[in-house]
Amino acid sequence: MQRYKKNLILTCHSYIPGSFCIFAVLFNKKNMKVITTTDELTQVLSEKRKGGFAVGLVPTMGALHEGHLTLVRRSVAENDYTVVSVFVNPTQFNNKADLDKYPRDLDRDVTMLGNAGCNLVFAPKVSIVTGK
């Protein structure tokens, strides 16, 4: 195993002797942060950019599925630091009943994102984003 970027461990698994290596990324979820304010987000991103990190963003409304996770894994592969936003925007719903029914399970989403290699989850409250 080789340590990489402090929180990732790379392992090589070969299915057929002599074939190419397939890399599996194992992520330590304890290193993943979940933040809820723009001040925290600004601070973290400022530190990463000053450190020369390439930062990837995957915006979501939560209720994650494999399509989201594919985007997260791609961001992890192409960037030094991956941020996923989880925000259900009420202005995207014409019908309040649809907004109320929209599935929300941040704990589940955070677990899935940690397993996919995400570094930071930005999960603001509506008032933080809209000012209302």
Side-chain angles (χ1 to χ4, degrees):
M1 278 193 231
Q2 175 186 353
R3 291 218 175 266
Y4 182 70
K5 295 180 189 170
K6 297 180 186 174
N7 59 349
L8 298 177
I9 300 170
L10 300 178
T11 61
C12 181
H13 303 279
S14 183
Y15 290 113
I16 301 169
S19 70
F20 63 92
C21 274
I22 298 172
F23 287 93
V25 177
L26 305 174
F27 184 73
N28 181 352
K29 289 183 276 186
K30 292 178 183 174
N31 291 330
M32 187 175 68
K33 292 183 180 182
V34 178
I35 61 173
T36 59
T37 70
T38 54
D39 288 344
E40 290 173 295
L41 181 64
T42 300
Q43 180 183 0
V44 170
L45 294 181
S46 177
E47 290 170 7
K48 295 304 173 189
R49 288 185 183 121
K50 284 179 185 174
F53 284 71
V55 177
L57 171 66
V58 180
T60 77
M61 288 181 34
L64 301 181
H65 53 72
E66 187 55 36
H68 294 106
L69 299 177
T70 298
L71 294 172
V72 172
R73 287 189 288 267
R74 180 146 185 193
S75 178
V76 168
E78 294 179 1
N79 297 285
D80 301 311
Y81 197 80
T82 293
V83 178
V84 175
S85 63
V86 177
F87 178 68
V88 179
N89 186 347
T91 64
Q92 290 183 242
F93 293 85
N94 290 329
N95 183 338
K96 184 170 177 350
D98 291 340
L99 172 63
D100 293 339
K101 287 189 287 186
Y102 193 84
R104 294 173 181 86
D105 188 345
L106 186 59
D107 290 338
R108 176 186 166 274
D109 291 344
V110 166
T111 297
M112 293 172 73
L113 292 169
N115 291 335
C118 175
N119 301 103
L120 176 74
V121 176
F122 177 53
K125 293 183 179 187
V126 172
S127 61
I128 295 289
V129 176
T130 65
K132 296 179 185 178

